[in-house]
mmCIF file of all heavy atoms in Angstrom:
data_model
loop_
_atom_site.group_PDB
_atom_site.id
_atom_site.type_symbol
_atom_site.label_atom_id
_atom_site.label_comp_id
_atom_site.label_asym_id
_atom_site.label_seq_id
_atom_site.Cartn_x
_atom_site.Cartn_y
_atom_site.Cartn_z
ATOM 1 N N ARG D 339 99.837 84.829 107.947
ATOM 2 C CA ARG D 339 98.484 85.313 108.238
ATOM 3 C C ARG D 339 97.436 84.556 107.418
ATOM 4 O O ARG D 339 97.773 83.904 106.426
ATOM 5 C CB ARG D 339 98.397 86.821 107.995
ATOM 6 C CG ARG D 339 98.426 87.227 106.547
ATOM 7 C CD ARG D 339 98.586 88.734 106.367
ATOM 8 N NE ARG D 339 99.903 89.042 105.842
ATOM 9 C CZ ARG D 339 100.173 90.045 105.007
ATOM 10 N NH1 ARG D 339 99.205 90.853 104.619
ATOM 11 N NH2 ARG D 339 101.377 90.260 104.575
ATOM 12 N N PRO D 340 96.157 84.665 107.783
ATOM 13 C CA PRO D 340 95.108 83.918 107.073
ATOM 14 C C PRO D 340 94.996 84.324 105.600
ATOM 15 O O PRO D 340 95.306 85.450 105.227
ATOM 16 C CB PRO D 340 93.831 84.317 107.827
ATOM 17 C CG PRO D 340 94.285 84.805 109.147
ATOM 18 C CD PRO D 340 95.621 85.426 108.914
ATOM 19 N N ARG D 341 94.524 83.361 104.796
ATOM 20 C CA ARG D 341 94.331 83.623 103.370
ATOM 21 C C ARG D 341 92.960 83.140 102.907
ATOM 22 O O ARG D 341 92.736 82.964 101.707
ATOM 23 C CB ARG D 341 95.438 82.917 102.567
ATOM 24 C CG ARG D 341 96.845 83.436 102.868
ATOM 25 C CD ARG D 341 97.902 82.432 102.437
ATOM 26 N NE ARG D 341 97.746 81.179 103.157
ATOM 27 C CZ ARG D 341 97.961 79.969 102.626
ATOM 28 N NH1 ARG D 341 98.354 79.851 101.379
ATOM 29 N NH2 ARG D 341 97.802 78.885 103.347
ATOM 30 N N TYR D 342 92.044 82.879 103.845
ATOM 31 C CA TYR D 342 90.710 82.409 103.454
ATOM 32 C C TYR D 342 89.988 83.488 102.632
ATOM 33 O O TYR D 342 90.391 84.656 102.619
ATOM 34 C CB TYR D 342 89.884 82.013 104.690
ATOM 35 C CG TYR D 342 89.638 83.126 105.690
ATOM 36 C CD1 TYR D 342 88.590 84.022 105.530
ATOM 37 C CD2 TYR D 342 90.459 83.285 106.803
ATOM 38 C CE1 TYR D 342 88.362 85.044 106.445
ATOM 39 C CE2 TYR D 342 90.256 84.296 107.721
ATOM 40 C CZ TYR D 342 89.198 85.174 107.537
ATOM 41 O OH TYR D 342 88.983 86.193 108.443
ATOM 42 N N PHE D 343 88.946 83.090 101.962
ATOM 43 C CA PHE D 343 88.284 83.937 100.961
ATOM 44 C C PHE D 343 87.940 85.343 101.472
ATOM 45 O O PHE D 343 88.170 86.325 100.791
ATOM 46 C CB PHE D 343 87.002 83.253 100.443
ATOM 47 C CG PHE D 343 86.271 84.070 99.427
ATOM 48 C CD1 PHE D 343 86.706 84.110 98.108
ATOM 49 C CD2 PHE D 343 85.151 84.813 99.771
ATOM 50 C CE1 PHE D 343 86.044 84.869 97.152
ATOM 51 C CE2 PHE D 343 84.484 85.584 98.822
ATOM 52 C CZ PHE D 343 84.934 85.612 97.515
ATOM 53 N N GLY D 344 87.404 85.459 102.677
ATOM 54 C CA GLY D 344 86.942 86.761 103.156
ATOM 55 C C GLY D 344 87.966 87.572 103.932
ATOM 56 O O GLY D 344 87.669 88.680 104.400
ATOM 57 N N HIS D 345 89.204 87.050 104.069
ATOM 58 C CA HIS D 345 90.143 87.735 104.962
ATOM 59 C C HIS D 345 90.574 89.107 104.457
ATOM 60 O O HIS D 345 90.876 89.992 105.258
ATOM 61 C CB HIS D 345 91.377 86.879 105.249
ATOM 62 C CG HIS D 345 92.238 87.452 106.333
ATOM 63 N ND1 HIS D 345 91.845 87.447 107.660
ATOM 64 C CD2 HIS D 345 93.423 88.097 106.300
ATOM 65 C CE1 HIS D 345 92.774 88.049 108.389
ATOM 66 N NE2 HIS D 345 93.741 88.454 107.588
ATOM 67 N N MET D 346 90.591 89.308 103.137
ATOM 68 C CA MET D 346 90.984 90.622 102.626
ATOM 69 C C MET D 346 90.037 91.706 103.113
ATOM 70 O O MET D 346 90.438 92.842 103.340
ATOM 71 C CB MET D 346 91.059 90.611 101.099
ATOM 72 C CG MET D 346 92.219 89.792 100.539
ATOM 73 S SD MET D 346 93.855 90.251 101.176
ATOM 74 C CE MET D 346 94.064 91.873 100.472
ATOM 75 N N HIS D 347 88.769 91.365 103.292
ATOM 76 C CA HIS D 347 87.789 92.328 103.825
ATOM 77 C C HIS D 347 88.190 92.740 105.240
ATOM 78 O O HIS D 347 88.175 93.937 105.583
ATOM 79 C CB HIS D 347 86.388 91.705 103.828
ATOM 80 C CG HIS D 347 85.350 92.554 104.514
ATOM 81 N ND1 HIS D 347 84.780 93.651 103.923
ATOM 82 C CD2 HIS D 347 84.812 92.480 105.766
ATOM 83 C CE1 HIS D 347 83.923 94.213 104.761
ATOM 84 N NE2 HIS D 347 83.931 93.524 105.894
ATOM 85 N N PHE D 348 88.565 91.758 106.057
ATOM 86 C CA PHE D 348 89.004 92.061 107.419
ATOM 87 C C PHE D 348 90.292 92.882 107.388
ATOM 88 O O PHE D 348 90.400 93.908 108.066
ATOM 89 C CB PHE D 348 89.228 90.757 108.196
ATOM 90 C CG PHE D 348 89.711 90.973 109.603
ATOM 91 C CD1 PHE D 348 88.846 91.400 110.594
ATOM 92 C CD2 PHE D 348 91.047 90.759 109.940
ATOM 93 C CE1 PHE D 348 89.286 91.611 111.904
ATOM 94 C CE2 PHE D 348 91.501 90.969 111.228
ATOM 95 C CZ PHE D 348 90.613 91.394 112.216
ATOM 96 N N GLN D 349 91.254 92.453 106.573
ATOM 97 C CA GLN D 349 92.546 93.136 106.510
ATOM 98 C C GLN D 349 92.397 94.586 106.053
ATOM 99 O O GLN D 349 93.133 95.470 106.501
ATOM 100 C CB GLN D 349 93.471 92.366 105.557
ATOM 101 C CG GLN D 349 94.871 92.935 105.483
ATOM 102 C CD GLN D 349 95.807 92.065 104.667
ATOM 103 O OE1 GLN D 349 96.162 90.972 105.094
ATOM 104 N NE2 GLN D 349 96.208 92.538 103.505
ATOM 105 N N ASP D 350 91.443 94.847 105.171
ATOM 106 C CA ASP D 350 91.248 96.198 104.640
ATOM 107 C C ASP D 350 90.691 97.183 105.668
ATOM 108 O O ASP D 350 90.833 98.393 105.505
ATOM 109 C CB ASP D 350 90.294 96.168 103.430
ATOM 110 C CG ASP D 350 90.960 95.607 102.187
ATOM 111 O OD1 ASP D 350 92.195 95.494 102.177
ATOM 112 O OD2 ASP D 350 90.231 95.276 101.237
ATOM 113 N N HIS D 351 90.039 96.670 106.722
ATOM 114 C CA HIS D 351 89.346 97.573 107.648
ATOM 115 C C HIS D 351 89.824 97.503 109.103
ATOM 116 O O HIS D 351 89.667 98.464 109.851
ATOM 117 C CB HIS D 351 87.832 97.303 107.601
ATOM 118 C CG HIS D 351 87.226 97.539 106.251
ATOM 119 N ND1 HIS D 351 87.008 96.533 105.341
ATOM 120 C CD2 HIS D 351 86.837 98.684 105.649
ATOM 121 C CE1 HIS D 351 86.485 97.039 104.236
ATOM 122 N NE2 HIS D 351 86.384 98.334 104.388
ATOM 123 N N ALA D 352 90.400 96.374 109.488
ATOM 124 C CA ALA D 352 90.743 96.190 110.903
ATOM 125 C C ALA D 352 91.857 97.127 111.364
ATOM 126 O O ALA D 352 91.859 97.582 112.519
ATOM 127 C CB ALA D 352 91.134 94.738 111.154
#
Side-chain angles (χ1 to χ4, degrees):
R339 72 190 110 146
R341 297 161 299 144
Y342 60 84
F343 179 79
H345 190 71
M346 290 305 292
H347 173 78
F348 179 76
Q349 184 173 290
D350 286 346
H351 299 97

